[in-house]
Amino acid sequence: MTTEKHARSAWSGKWAFILAAAASAVGLGNMWRFPYLAAKYGGGTFLFTYLVLVFTFGVSLLLLETALGRKTGLSAIGAFKSFGKKYAFIGIITSAIPFIIVPYYCIIGGWVTKYTASYLTTGPAALADGGGFFTSFISSSTESYLWMLIFMAVVFIIVALGVKGGIEKANLFMMPALIVMAIAIAIYTITMPGALDGVLYYITPDFSKFSPELVIGALGQMFYSLSLAMGIMITYGSYLNKKESLTQSVVRIGGFDIGVSFLAGLMIVPAAFVAMGSGEAVASGAGPSLMFITLPGVFNDMGGAASIVGFLFFLLVLFAALTSAISLTETCVSIIADGAGWSRKRSLVVAMVFIAAVGIFINAGYNALSFIEPLGPGSSMLDFFDFISNSVMMPIAALLTCVFVGWIIKPKVIADEVKQSSPFKFEKAWTVMVKYVAPVLVTVILVAYVAAQFGLFSM
């Protein structure tokens, strides 16, 4: 293990790690799911609930995973295995998750890339046809694969350039650009006639909407958005210098996630409110339909600004998709390198082949294999892999991790790692969270999402 640590990649500093981890956290979930949930669950009520959860439950698990990675200097499988071979299965479950997610994430990344280019080449009117453009594109037997592979190629090139030469430099450009574009679009949006009603709807608490469903929705959003239980934070933590403060870093990562999520809502909810007339109408759409069908119609109604706003918005989303796909791919590469003892180059080639092959297979669910509906009529293979990874495997991995740290190796092992670089004022509260609160919350997420999938629970 010592040799591995000496040969391991490393961040150039604390802010390189924070920016990379924040870039991983800021992804498609911030852009298309957070605004929908905020609109559905009472605006400010959801925002406040999400804020509380991020800075309690979310930051606690971020700290746990990052410290575990830094302590062991290994990715997920090796990190758990270093405490005993019998615990390797926790790392295997955790490590399987990015391998499932990144292929279908790159498919959606291809969609975003296509729309970004189309605002320059085709124009906003063609994209705002009520869904025909989108349906025709994703069901294409050639074009949808081409754009997926273009997106993958960009991700692979950046990862191939290494932690410092590729990932750090890419995030140093894309994250500030993303934030600047988000602020610019949000400012433009709230100056539109009638948009202030949408802003008020978005930020004003409606406590009548507070419910168990709201809390579960906020929990699920936070869980996925912060890159928890995917092996990402363990991997990124393994590249972190022992001198850097873990407590400060994870709080800043949570702050980045909340900030970008809030801006996403400020961009989307008021604009959609103006176009659709009510918060309920905004809340009626989520996921791909909001991003690729509803919003192009909203942008098209902006007249002369439609092309510019539409292009900048999808460029912003493209950067968010790229930063998350990079972190997922880097995690896969690190897992292969640690597990097989291969060089980074060889591990990357294997990861590339796997991601491309599985991506092609899942994408076929929209054309050649569209007859396969694994979750019932109208579902796709992408829906199935998303459900298995996000709603089932991630909560299970988080639960096992909490039990492992809280009850097997004991929280003090991780707390001692944290205290190597900074005081740990909230150690007792963190210990209670890891041992008692977090296991309950992740179990609630697991049960609720599985029950919702089979129609036993409304979300």
Side-chain angles (χ1 to χ4, degrees):
M1 197 163 90
T2 305
T3 305
E4 185 69 34
K5 285 184 179 179
H6 284 302
R8 199 164 188 77
S9 300
W11 302 114
S12 60
K14 174 179 65 179
W15 279 102
F17 162 69
I18 292 170
L19 204 59
S24 174
V26 174
L28 293 171
N30 300 74
M31 299 299 162
W32 74 25
R33 194 164 183 269
F34 186 90
Y36 151 75
L37 289 172
K40 180 178 181 180
Y41 292 119
T45 307
F46 180 83
L47 295 179
F48 178 75
T49 304
Y50 188 77
L51 182 73
V52 171
L53 289 172
V54 166
F55 285 116
T56 52
F57 176 56
V59 166
S60 295
L61 290 192
L62 273 177
L63 186 63
L64 185 160
E65 292 191 15
T66 307
L68 180 62
R70 193 178 75 170
K71 179 177 178 60
T72 60
L74 293 166
S75 54
I77 296 176
F80 287 99
K81 189 177 179 181
S82 66
F83 293 95
K85 289 184 179 180
K86 60 185 176 181
Y87 303 121
F89 78 97
I90 304 175
I92 292 170
I93 293 171
T94 303
S95 297
I97 295 167
F99 283 94
I100 296 172
I101 292 177
V102 70
Y104 75 74
Y105 202 94
C106 287
I107 293 172
I108 303 171
W111 300 350
V112 177
T113 310
K114 164 67 175 178
Y115 268 64
T116 306
S118 295
Y119 269 95
L120 296 178
T121 59
T122 309
L127 280 65
D129 63 353
F133 182 93
F134 179 63
T135 303
S136 174
F137 165 62
I138 65 171
S139 61
S140 166
S141 59
T142 54
E143 196 178 13
S144 61
Y145 294 90
L146 174 64
W147 287 99
M148 177 194 72
L149 292 172
I150 290 172
F151 181 86
M152 284 183 179
V154 175
V155 173
F156 295 155
I157 289 169
I158 292 171
V159 174
L161 292 172
V163 171
K164 291 181 181 177
I167 298 172
E168 280 191 19
K169 289 184 177 179
N171 289 332
L172 189 62
F173 168 72
M174 285 192 287
M175 280 300 290
L178 185 154
I179 292 169
V180 169
M181 285 189 289
I183 293 172
I185 295 172
I187 291 172
Y188 177 81
T189 297
I190 63 179
T191 59
M192 294 170 60
L196 284 180
D197 290 336
V199 174
L200 290 173
Y201 177 84
Y202 176 54
I203 65 174
T204 304
D206 179 359
F207 294 108
S208 68
K209 297 285 183 70
F210 188 83
S211 64
E213 291 84 357
L214 180 154
V215 176
I216 292 168
L219 271 172
Q221 171 64 18
M222 178 220 65
F223 200 76
Y224 181 63
S225 181
L226 288 178
S227 299
L228 298 172
M230 302 185 208
I232 293 174
M233 295 310 300
I234 296 175
T235 298
Y236 275 16
S238 73
Y239 301 154
L240 189 61
N241 191 290
K242 294 280 187 180
K243 298 183 297 183
E244 309 296 355
S245 171
L246 291 175
T247 51
Q248 291 180 9
S249 296
V250 296
V251 168
R252 286 165 178 159
I253 293 164
F256 265 107
D257 175 71
I258 288 172
V260 174
S261 295
F262 177 77
L263 284 173
L266 205 56
M267 285 188 294
I268 293 171
V269 175
F273 195 95
V274 170
M276 304 169 76
S278 71
E280 288 70 23
V282 178
S284 65
S289 63
L290 173 64
M291 183 72 70
F292 299 104
I293 299 175
T294 303
L295 286 178
V298 172
F299 296 146
N300 192 50
D301 291 337
M302 293 181 178
S307 293
I308 296 172
V309 175
F311 169 73
L312 288 178
F313 174 79
F314 277 99
L315 181 63
L316 180 160
V317 177
L318 175 59
F319 284 173
L322 280 170
T323 55
S324 291
I326 289 166
S327 67
L328 286 161
T329 303
E330 173 62 26
T331 301
C332 292
V333 172
S334 181
I335 289 166
I336 294 171
D338 287 348
W342 292 345
S343 67
R344 179 181 175 84
K345 182 178 179 180
R346 185 179 182 185
S347 301
L348 174 60
V349 171
V350 172
M352 287 166 55
V353 172
F354 175 86
I355 292 167
V358 176
I360 289 169
F361 172 71
I362 296 174
N363 195 50
Y366 290 105
N367 36 78
L369 300 178
S370 59
F371 60 90
I372 300 176
E373 298 177 317
L375 296 178
S379 67
S380 66
M381 287 196 291
L382 190 152
D383 296 325
F384 173 75
F385 283 103
D386 180 60
F387 171 71
I388 291 297
S389 58
N390 284 283
S391 301
V392 179
M393 293 184 68
M394 282 169 59
I396 290 174
L399 178 61
L400 291 172
T401 300
C402 289
V403 171
F404 174 73
V405 172
W407 297 96
I408 297 175
I409 66 170
K410 307 302 181 184
K412 186 177 183 300
V413 172
I414 300 300
D416 287 345
E417 176 66 29
V418 174
K419 286 187 282 190
Q420 281 198 34
S421 52
S422 62
F424 195 6
K425 297 178 182 178
F426 301 101
E427 180 181 352
K428 290 183 179 179
W430 176 81
T431 300
V432 171
M433 176 63 71
V434 170
K435 291 186 71 172
Y436 304 105
V437 181
V440 172
L441 291 179
V442 293
T443 302
V444 168
I445 294 173
L446 175 62
V447 172
Y449 274 76
V450 171
Q453 179 59 49
F454 292 99
L456 303 175
F457 182 74
S458 177
M459 291 192 63

